Amino acid sequence: MSAHPQATPALALGIDIGGTGIKGGIVDLGTGELCGERFRIDTPSPATPPEVTAVVGEIYRELLTRDPNVGAQTPVGITFPGIIHHGVARSGANVGQHWVGADIATLFAEELGREVLVLNDADAAGLAETEYGAGRNRSGTVLTLTLGTGIGSALVHDGVLVPNFELGHLEIGGVAAEKKASSAARKRDDISWEKYARRLEKYLRHVQFLFSPELIILGGGISKKPEKFLPYIELETPIEIARSANNAGIIGAALQAQRLNAH
Ligand code: BGC
């Protein structure tokens, strides 16, 4: 799938809520690039819904001042690092259980005084990568895995997202994969890159067996150092490193907000 800049607004806003930072940007949907600098504020601690909502509002209002072509009609997408079902958070493994049950679509819409789209962070990254990045022009099943504090996953089939895939919580040997194969797990367990790669390969093999993807895209913090672990991994499925690691959440959120606005 590709964006249709003539038929739809060329710009949309994306805001990406992470464990350490909340980042926003104006996205050119024709190119999938940010227009200007992104704007980041540290995630408040504790990251309660009211505190995070206030920061999201601050970022939105800042972005409105940055471009005369951006306004109340510009689509806004916001990511969250947990399951989002009908705008309600259903998990929050790495942000706190107090989010579970929070109607964040309504919270954010009230703060911004307008409609917003809320989606899972890895889903946004997968959309960005399949539209503009490593999975561009790939048909069939493309699986994006973000290896960071947890493991996020996005299943996109022929350009269409199946939301909330949550493969980071797939259990291998009775343990959730993200507890063993995330970037945080490597640091916490203080293991060599080779040992980490073996863990990751075991996980990828399991995922490959279950879903037979055409391509696996690896994103998240660890994708900045592919030379450390990729040489140790052997897999039949091709692996690509995400192209827009830092901004994939912002870009994918903006893209999906525009798509859902347009239909
Ligand atoms: C959450 C996912 C999220 C991922 C990356 C996991 O713990 O369950 O929803 O996408 O972390 O933030």
Side-chain angles (χ1 to χ4, degrees):
M1 270 214 233
S2 60
H4 301 289
Q6 270 98 25
T8 52
L11 299 178
L13 303 180
I15 299 177
D16 188 27
I17 300 176
T20 54
I22 303 179
K23 298 146 273 181
I26 302 170
V27 180
D28 177 334
L29 297 166
T31 61
E33 303 282 337
L34 293 197
C35 304
E37 292 292 295
R38 67 180 190 170
F39 182 56
R40 180 190 185 282
I41 295 179
D42 283 348
T43 305
S45 175
T48 60
E51 308 263 349
V52 169
T53 303
V55 172
V56 166
E58 205 179 324
I59 292 176
Y60 171 69
R61 287 184 287 277
E62 165 67 23
L63 293 177
L64 287 187
T65 67
R66 292 195 171 186
D67 191 316
N69 297 313
V70 164
Q73 79 296 344
T74 309
V76 181
I78 304 172
T79 77
F80 178 77
I83 299 170
I84 298 291
H85 196 224
H86 301 308
V88 176
R90 293 294 177 203
S91 75
N94 296 307
V95 276
Q97 290 306 312
H98 48 267
W99 283 89
V100 176
D103 180 350
I104 61 178
T106 301
L107 277 177
F108 296 164
E110 281 172 5
E111 171 71 25
L112 273 51
R114 52 161 298 159
E115 247 187 84
V116 300
L117 171 85
V118 184
L119 77 169
N120 171 264
D121 58 352
D123 282 350
L127 285 168
E129 285 298 324
T130 46
E131 179 71 19
Y132 305 108
R136 191 178 161 84
N137 298 326
R138 285 289 191 132
S139 55
T141 300
V142 176
L143 190 61
T144 302
L145 297 170
T146 61
L147 307 168
T149 309
I151 295 182
S153 65
L155 186 91
V156 175
H157 184 78
D158 286 346
V160 178
L161 173 76
V162 182
N164 293 314
F165 229 59
E166 291 296 332
L167 294 186
H169 296 270
L170 197 65
E171 289 189 9
I172 299 182
V175 182
E178 69 173 16
K179 299 274 178 257
K180 301 287 268 183
S182 62
S183 176
R186 185 189 68 82
K187 289 180 194 148
R188 185 199 58 224
D189 295 349
D190 194 20
I191 51 174
S192 67
W193 281 101
E194 193 173 346
K195 183 157 186 208
Y196 172 72
R198 280 204 298 275
R199 284 188 186 181
L200 183 59
E201 185 186 292
K202 187 173 176 193
Y203 172 58
L204 295 177
R205 288 204 166 277
H206 194 53
V207 162
Q208 170 182 262
F209 176 77
L210 293 175
F211 303 106
S212 303
E214 301 302 325
L215 173 70
I216 294 178
I217 300 174
L218 298 181
I222 220 161
S223 60
K224 286 178 214 140
K225 296 179 181 167
E227 71 287 354
K228 301 272 192 197
F229 63 95
L230 265 193
Y232 300 116
I233 294 183
E234 270 184 44
L235 203 71
E236 291 71 33
T237 308
I239 299 178
E240 298 245 3
I241 295 299
R243 303 249 167 91
S244 51
N246 272 338
N247 296 324
I250 296 175
I251 296 165
L255 175 68
Q256 190 71 338
Q258 178 268 337
R259 279 184 180 162
L260 297 186
N261 232 28
H263 295 104

